[in-house]
Amino acid sequence: MNYQLIDKSHAKEIGKLAVLLTNEIIERTGSNCFDIDEELAVDLCTNYLSSGLYSVIAAFDNLDIIGFGALCESQSLYAKGSFGIIQEFYILPIYRSQGVGKHLISSAIQFSKTKKWKRLELCTPSIPEFNRTYDFYKKNGFEITGGYKMKYET
């Protein structure tokens, strides 16, 4: 396996994986909380990567992308400056429990250090449907900061 930052030339592959991620969340939770299609995901990924708003680290099996972590930067007073957010993190099911996620999250953590971010945050999908996801992040050094992910459509 190989783990590396990618550019917009891989946006189509990342868009497909992002749709698989959102579909898995919808299927497992029974909640249609996402409304994104592949074409839109590819367009957004291309634009975000081109503008530098978004960084993606991909896991490769030979030439195939089998997982990715998408990160962006934010700032806050509580974090005492700039910090990173893992916006999406996904590994194809057949590659799970093989160390791919561990290496990918380690790559994301190393990337955050190069950016001099104060911390790295993420939001897990709902529990109990995603207990394994929660356990994975805990095992890799993340801790609960409290609260729920909420949104307001504008």
Side-chain angles (χ1 to χ4, degrees):
M1 300 296 165
N2 180 28
Y3 305 86
Q4 64 187 47
L5 275 172
I6 58 171
D7 62 23
K8 68 180 183 177
S9 67
H10 294 285
K12 186 171 185 174
E13 296 149 282
I14 298 305
K16 285 181 181 182
L17 291 175
V19 170
L20 289 174
L21 166 63
T22 57
N23 287 342
E24 182 176 339
I25 294 169
I26 291 167
E27 181 182 302
R28 289 173 61 184
T29 63
S31 173
N32 194 4
C33 49
F34 300 104
D35 181 24
I36 188 155
D37 60 48
E38 191 174 315
E39 183 179 344
L40 178 58
V42 171
D43 286 345
L44 290 171
C45 187
T46 300
N47 291 336
Y48 295 165
L49 286 169
S50 295
S51 70
L53 291 173
Y54 202 64
S55 298
V56 175
I57 302 170
F60 286 85
D61 183 4
N62 294 315
L63 298 176
D64 298 322
I65 296 178
I66 57 153
F68 76 102
L71 301 98
C72 69
E73 182 174 286
S74 189
Q75 296 79 34
S76 75
L77 300 175
Y78 73 84
K80 301 176 187 162
S82 297
F83 67 98
I85 302 171
I86 297 176
Q87 297 288 20
E88 292 99 10
F89 192 88
Y90 182 75
I91 309 295
L92 287 170
I94 63 170
Y95 287 93
R96 294 178 188 167
S97 298
Q98 298 180 34
V100 175
K102 180 181 174 84
H103 284 92
L104 191 56
I105 202 75
S106 177
S107 296
I109 291 167
Q110 286 307 116
F111 177 77
S112 73
K113 290 176 180 178
T114 67
K115 299 294 266 183
K116 299 193 181 340
W117 291 338
K118 304 287 185 185
R119 65 198 293 167
L120 192 55
E121 296 183 353
L122 56 83
C123 183
T124 65
S126 55
I127 296 172
E129 294 89 350
F130 286 88
N131 275 336
R132 285 186 61 213
T133 302
Y134 166 80
D135 291 341
F136 166 79
Y137 290 121
K138 287 270 300 181
K139 188 188 301 186
N140 283 282
F142 287 80
E143 57 189 49
I144 295 174
T145 57
Y148 293 95
K149 181 176 183 175
M150 300 175 81
K151 70 177 180 177
Y152 181 89
E153 295 284 343
T154 59

